[in-house]
Amino acid sequence: MKAFMDEDFLLDTECARYLYHRYAEGTPILDYHCHIDPKEIAQDKKFGNITKLWLGGDHYKWRQMRSNGVEEYYITGAAPDREKFQKWAETLGRLIGNPLYHWSHLELKRYFGYDGCLNGETAEKVWQLCNEKLREPQMSAKGLIRQSGVSLICTTDDPADSLEWHKKIKEDKGFRVRVLPAWRPDKAMQIEAEGFFLYIRKLEETCGVSIRSFADLKDALSVRMDYFHNMGCRVSDHGLDYVTHTPLPEEKTEAVFQNALEGKCLGSTECAGYKTALLHFLGREYSRRGWVMQLHYGCRRNNNKAMLAALGPDTGFDCIGDYAPVSQLAGFLDGLAGEGELPKTILYSLNPNDNAAVGTLLGCFQDGSAAGKIQQGAAWWFNDHKDGMRRQMTSLANLGMLAHFVGMLTDSRSFLSYTRHEYFRRILCGLIGGWVENGEYPFDEKALEEMIKGICYRNAVNYFQFPE
C-alpha cells in the first residue's frame, strides 16, 4: 500500500518520478487566467481564519457541502466560521475520488505543513493549526503568491474597470510578481441582460464618450483595449452562453443595438447575431494588437432559479451544457482567418465529449505565425480532475500536438489554488512517464525536458508574449 499523498503522489513509474522531480516540480507558475480580485493583492489582504481563506466564494466546496446534506446556513449563511469549517471537514472526509480531496490536502501540506487527513474528528486540530499559521506575515495575499513560485498573474477585468488596483500593484517595487489585466467583455456582449443599458452608461463614464450606436460602442471598446494594452494586457477571455451564429449585417446590428437601448424585447436570433457580430469585431481587434482570444463555452448556468434569486450567480448551480455546434465555431474562425485577422485562440468546451471535435478543429487553422496558434484549453471547471486532465491531454496528443500545449491555469478566486498546478504537473508527468515506460516514446532526456518545462511554463511565456 502506498503512503497517502506522499512526495511521489500520482507518479506511478520511475520515469514519471524522474520527470516530475527533476523538471516540473521547481518550474515557475504563469497563471494566465484566474478570478482573483486585484484589490486584494494591492491591499495585501490578510485572512482572519481558514474559513475566510478557504470557503469564502468557493462554489466548488459549496456544491459538495450541499451534496452532503449541509444546510445553506453553514455554507453561505450566517453560521459562525468555526461551524462552517466543521461542516466542510465532515464533507471532505467523504469526497473519495473527488479533486477537492486532493487539492485541499495539497493546500494543507504546502501552506500549513499538515500531513494528516482532514475530517470531522481532526477539524479542531486543523482549525487551530491553520489559524495560528495565518498570523504569520508570509500568509498574506502577496506572501501566498510569493510562496507559490508565481511569476505572472492575469486577473479578469471588465472594459469599464479603471484598473486602479493594477496601478497600485505595479507601484509596489517590493512585489516582483507581475499582475496584468485580462479583457473580459461579457457585459458588452449580453445585450439581452436587464442591466445592459446601465452597463453602457457605465462604459460611457469610463471612456468619457457618448455611446448612442453600435459604431460608438465599437469605438469605445477600441479605446479601452488601447488602455488595457498599455497596462500590459495581452489576453482576452469570453464566457459564452452560446458558441457562435451568423453575424448580423451592420445595419441590422445597429437596429438591434438601438432597440436594446430603448428597452425593447429582442428575439433570440437577434441577440445571437449581435453577439457574433461583436465577437467578430473584437477578434479582429485582438489580432491587430497581438492578443490571445480565449473562448469558454459549454456551460448551462443558473439552473436552480430559486437559489439564483436567493444567492445570485456563481454560487454553485451551473452544469455542463450540450455538445458544441462545431460547424458554427468553425465558421466563426474561418471568417476571421479569411480576413487574415484570426488571433491566437484558445478553445475551452466544458463538455468533455467535445474533446475530439476541438482537437480536430485546431488543425484546420494552424499556420506558420506561431507554434500551436490555435489551442485546446486545459481541462476546465468540472473537468479539472485526474481523469478529465488525462482525457484532455490524451485527446490533444492523439489529434494535435501536446508538446505545444500552454498548460494549466487556476481559474480560481483563491490564493491557495496554485497547488492545482502541482496536481496538473504530477498528472502530466504520470501520463508522459507512462508512455515512455511502455515504449511508446523514447527516453530522450533533452526532448522530454523541453516538453515538460514547456507545458508547465515556457510554452505560455512564448505564446502570450507578455511585456517585461
Side-chain angles (χ1 to χ4, degrees):
M1 181 184 298
K2 300 179 76 171
F4 171 64
M5 290 184 66
D6 64 7
E7 291 308 300
D8 291 330
F9 173 56
L10 298 178
L11 305 173
D12 294 333
T13 64
E14 181 180 352
C15 185
R17 292 187 286 273
Y18 182 83
L19 294 176
Y20 177 75
H21 292 302
R22 186 169 181 84
Y23 297 122
E25 188 172 18
T27 305
I29 291 172
L30 194 158
D31 193 16
Y32 55 87
H33 175 65
C34 75
H35 296 279
I36 285 176
D37 186 347
K39 179 180 179 180
E40 294 183 349
I41 301 176
Q43 295 182 337
D44 200 16
K45 182 175 179 177
K46 296 177 175 57
F47 302 90
N49 60 56
I50 185 60
T51 295
K52 295 187 184 303
L53 175 59
W54 230 12
L55 295 174
D58 192 337
H59 53 79
Y60 280 81
K61 294 185 178 76
W62 296 350
R63 286 172 65 95
Q64 301 309 327
M65 292 170 77
R66 293 177 188 125
S67 296
N68 198 38
V70 176
E71 297 176 33
E72 198 66 31
Y73 172 72
Y74 297 101
I75 303 173
T76 61
D81 286 347
R82 175 63 184 87
E83 294 180 23
K84 289 183 175 182
F85 183 77
Q86 182 69 35
K87 295 296 185 182
W88 166 243
E90 293 169 0
T91 298
L92 186 63
R94 295 177 171 89
L95 285 180
I96 185 170
N98 191 292
L100 283 168
Y101 195 83
H102 296 150
W103 296 347
S104 297
H105 285 95
L106 281 174
E107 290 167 12
L108 288 172
K109 183 187 292 260
R110 299 296 175 237
Y111 297 106
F112 299 97
Y114 180 69
D115 290 321
C117 300
L118 174 59
N119 52 44
E121 294 181 0
T122 62
E124 178 61 24
K125 176 183 178 180
V126 176
W127 171 263
Q128 296 293 342
L129 171 68
C130 291
N131 292 344
E132 181 65 28
K133 185 75 173 178
L134 285 172
R135 297 188 184 99
E136 298 177 4
Q138 73 270 22
M139 298 298 286
S140 65
K142 290 180 180 178
L144 290 168
I145 292 170
R146 288 189 188 99
Q147 287 184 63
S148 304
V150 180
S151 67
L152 186 146
I153 296 170
C154 289
T155 58
T156 304
D157 307 276
D158 187 272
D161 288 348
S162 68
L163 304 186
E164 62 176 305
W165 298 109
H166 287 86
K167 294 178 184 176
K168 293 183 183 299
I169 295 168
K170 194 173 182 180
E171 291 167 359
D172 182 358
K173 302 304 181 185
F175 185 63
R176 297 178 180 271
V177 180
R178 286 181 291 164
V179 180
L180 303 178
W183 172 269
R184 180 80 174 229
D186 290 2
K187 291 181 180 178
M189 304 283 290
Q190 293 164 352
I191 193 169
E192 78 285 6
E194 185 176 338
F196 181 75
F197 176 82
L198 294 177
Y199 175 73
I200 295 299
R201 298 287 84 86
K202 180 180 179 181
L203 187 59
E204 282 183 328
E205 293 174 7
T206 303
C207 297
V209 299
S210 177
I211 302 175
R212 296 292 181 266
S213 66
F214 183 60
D216 290 342
L217 174 62
K218 292 190 291 184
D219 288 342
L221 291 173
S222 293
V223 169
R224 294 306 294 165
M225 275 188 270
D226 288 340
Y227 179 71
F228 271 58
H229 190 88
N230 290 335
M231 289 293 293
C233 178
R234 296 295 184 272
V235 59
S236 70
D237 180 59
H238 295 261
L240 304 178
D241 56 0
Y242 67 109
V243 178
T244 59
H245 296 262
T246 302
L248 295 174
E250 188 74 20
E251 64 276 9
K252 181 63 174 177
T253 307
E254 189 64 69
V256 171
F257 184 77
Q258 291 299 325
N259 287 339
L261 293 185
E262 294 170 13
K264 295 180 179 178
C265 183
L266 301 176
S268 58
T269 301
E270 292 177 313
C271 292
Y274 162 85
K275 292 176 180 181
T276 305
L278 182 55
L279 185 61
H280 196 98
F281 161 76
L282 291 170
R284 294 196 301 268
E285 294 297 308
Y286 302 153
S287 177
R288 293 166 188 169
R289 290 172 172 80
W291 288 15
V292 174
M293 176 170 66
Q294 297 183 97
L295 303 179
H296 288 83
Y297 56 91
C299 178
R300 192 178 193 281
R301 297 182 182 274
N302 304 319
N303 296 287
N304 188 325
K305 300 304 181 186
M307 295 306 291
L308 173 65
L311 301 177
D314 301 322
T315 51
F317 300 97
D318 307 321
C319 71
I320 293 173
D322 298 329
Y323 288 80
V326 176
S327 60
Q328 294 177 2
L329 183 57
F332 170 71
L333 298 176
D334 188 47
L336 289 171
E339 299 171 359
E341 298 284 7
L342 178 61
K344 295 177 184 176
T345 301
I346 307 179
L347 304 174
Y348 305 81
S349 175
L350 193 58
N351 193 324
N353 293 316
D354 291 337
N355 279 340
V358 172
T360 55
L361 183 60
L362 306 179
C364 300
F365 297 99
Q366 306 289 16
D367 59 39
S369 64
K373 176 180 177 177
I374 313 300
Q375 293 264 338
Q376 180 181 16
W380 169 48
W381 197 348
F382 295 118
N383 301 303
D384 53 4
H385 45 75
K386 182 178 70 172
D387 291 341
M389 290 182 189
R390 288 180 65 92
R391 282 199 300 266
Q392 182 267 338
M393 287 190 282
T394 300
S395 179
L396 179 56
N398 284 336
L399 301 168
M401 191 170 288
L402 180 63
H404 288 315
F405 179 35
V406 294
M408 189 56 174
L409 66 170
T410 60
D411 191 28
S412 171
R413 293 168 176 81
S414 171
F415 289 97
L416 298 182
S417 289
Y418 298 110
T419 53
R420 295 184 190 180
H421 286 260
E422 176 183 343
Y423 191 57
F424 166 82
R425 292 172 182 188
R426 288 176 178 274
I427 293 166
L428 169 70
C429 291
L431 182 65
I432 291 179
W435 289 337
V436 174
E437 292 275 355
N438 199 39
E440 298 178 55
Y441 191 87
F443 186 74
D444 180 339
E445 186 160 3
K446 182 178 179 181
L448 289 168
E449 175 185 2
E450 181 179 346
M451 199 179 309
I452 295 297
K453 288 185 175 179
I455 295 169
C456 291
Y457 180 68
R458 290 177 180 170
N459 290 350
V461 172
N462 295 330
Y463 185 77
F464 290 98
Q465 294 289 301
F466 292 114
E468 295 294 334

